Amino acid sequence: MNIILLGPPGAGKGTQAARLQAQRGMVQLSTGDMLRQAVANGTPVGLQAKAVMEAGELVSDAIVSALIGEHLDAAGDRGAIFDGFPRTRAQAEALDLLLAERGHRLDHVIELNVDEDALVRRIVKRFTCANCGAPYHDEFKRPQVEGVCDVCGSTEFKRRPDDNEQTVRTRMAEYRAKTAPILPYYEERGLVRRVDGMAPVDDVAAAIDAILGA
Ligand SMILES: [Zn+2]
């Protein structure tokens, strides 16, 4: 089983990818991680990538394809979760070829959907106890006594500076721009499955399991 897992920041993609690796033995192939690792290990592909990056240029599709090919060989039949790749239609076609050469194919493109306004509400209204880190939310989970942490009694709270509406909306726009070139390619082939990323984490997991089968 080989899948592409898509989802904007805040949709819980990392959580689900970690679970699929732990429970199904799948291998997450994240382009960024693979490149960093190849460079650190000084593999032939890593040395090529390093030279390109040091010249301030983008790593070519050929290099990324070679890297993914190596990792697919290492993963064998365990199944791959592609993360951060493909980004273009050309890369999507390259991925089809890489899989076909190994007798595999892409089974599903699973997108964790979020409602942008709901995501903004979820993120912008969250805050934590400055002392013990207990999580709170302006709407869903206020301290039982106003201004006092339920857990440790501290009266100091904090909010993350990047938990603001503009940042969330910018991240969503970046995500849409990133996936726009490839979603139609997979939609034409009927591979795209959508899961409600706003649901509780166990429900999201169950929905993904239902797509992947036993
Ligand atoms: Zn506290």
Side-chain angles (χ1 to χ4, degrees), residues 2-146:
N2 298 289
I3 66 170
I4 295 172
L5 193 56
L6 298 173
K13 191 173 62 140
T15 305
Q16 296 301 330
R19 187 188 63 84
L20 290 171
Q21 292 186 92
Q23 294 180 357
R24 291 178 178 257
M26 295 177 79
V27 181
Q28 185 175 17
L29 300 185
S30 154
T31 321
D33 292 345
M34 285 188 291
L35 273 173
R36 276 187 291 277
Q37 195 190 334
V39 170
N41 294 344
T43 66
V45 175
L47 293 175
Q48 278 184 54
K50 188 172 179 221
V52 172
M53 289 189 287
E54 279 174 356
E57 289 164 21
L58 281 176
V59 177
S60 70
D61 284 359
I63 291 177
V64 174
S65 288
L67 197 59
I68 289 176
E70 282 178 6
H71 283 262
L72 281 177
D73 290 336
D77 291 329
R78 293 169 65 193
I81 306 165
F82 297 99
D83 177 15
F85 180 92
R87 288 273 165 82
T88 64
R89 204 177 173 104
Q91 289 180 354
E93 287 166 1
L95 178 59
D96 286 340
L97 193 62
L98 283 167
L99 288 167
E101 284 167 356
R102 290 161 180 80
H104 295 301
R105 64 189 166 90
L106 189 69
D107 295 287
H108 305 287
V109 177
I110 301 177
E111 183 177 41
L112 302 180
N113 274 356
V114 297
D115 176 300
E116 182 167 335
D117 293 327
L119 187 68
V120 167
R121 283 197 297 279
R122 185 198 269 185
I123 291 177
V124 168
K125 297 189 175 181
R126 67 187 179 187
F127 59 101
T128 56
C129 169
N131 179 50
C132 74
Y136 294 97
H137 191 277
D138 291 325
E139 265 176 62
F140 309 127
K141 190 173 183 290
R142 301 197 60 84
Q144 284 172 359
V145 177
E146 192 60 37

Side-chain angles (χ1 to χ4, degrees), residues 189-211:
R189 293 164 52 196
L191 291 182
V192 180
R193 324 270 179 247
R194 294 199 160 82
V195 169
D196 178 11
M198 303 304 288
V201 66
D202 289 344
D203 294 356
V204 177
I208 292 175
D209 282 341
I211 292 167

Side-chain angles (χ1 to χ4, degrees), residues 129-134 136 149-154:
C129 169
N131 179 50
C132 74
Y136 294 97
C149 176
D150 296 344
V151 178
C152 74
S154 166

